[in-house]
Amino acid sequence: MVVLPAGRSYDPRPEEQGESFDPDDDVPVVFEPVFRPYAFLEPGDEVADGTGRAWRFDGPWDWCPFDGGAGPHEPVWPLVLLARRSCADAAEAGAAVAGATRTGSHREEIARWRAVAQAEPPVLPVP
């Protein structure tokens, strides 16, 4: 696990950054989640956006449209959960996604993260 100072974003290019953390040592540590963008989604979730476009969620900075086409690189809210690999209660998960995205937008979700993290979203390498 890597811990970054406030105001710094993860950069996938350098081999080492931040401070390492070993959860198996005897140093007592307490983590308190403050805000995780898209906490109502899990990596690999498939959703349809407000325009009917289908997307795979690989993380808040990594959305893949199934049509592979040009256009916006983020979904338009509201979102509808189409599929989740690890969901025992699909109806409950679908209701959570619909409720969380009833108002707002992708950009508002990222703006909330920026305010809490005091950093910019990471720039992912282009495959």
Side-chain angles (χ1 to χ4, degrees):
M1 180 181 292
V2 175
V3 180
L4 298 172
R8 256 183 80 201
S9 296
Y10 173 73
D11 183 346
R13 293 172 291 190
E15 285 188 32
E16 294 185 25
Q17 62 182 308
E19 299 294 325
S20 62
F21 169 75
D22 181 0
D24 292 326
D25 65 15
D26 291 331
V27 177
V29 176
V30 175
F31 287 99
E32 293 183 31
V34 177
F35 176 74
R36 181 173 71 90
Y38 289 97
F40 46 87
L41 291 176
E42 296 178 6
D45 279 356
E46 297 174 3
V47 300
D49 74 3
T51 67
R53 191 174 187 195
W55 298 81
R56 185 182 69 243
F57 173 78
D58 290 326
W61 334 117
D62 194 6
W63 287 90
C64 293
F66 286 134
D67 62 15
H73 296 290
E74 70 241 5
V76 176
W77 286 21
L79 304 178
V80 174
L81 184 64
L82 299 174
R84 176 172 285 177
R85 291 183 296 215
S86 62
C87 184
D89 188 352
E92 185 177 311
V97 171
T101 62
R102 186 172 292 120
T103 61
S105 69
H106 170 78
R107 292 179 188 216
E108 288 177 29
E109 187 80 351
I110 300 309
R112 287 176 55 205
W113 178 86
R114 278 186 182 119
V116 171
Q118 300 174 358
E120 290 300 312
V123 177
L124 299 177
V126 177

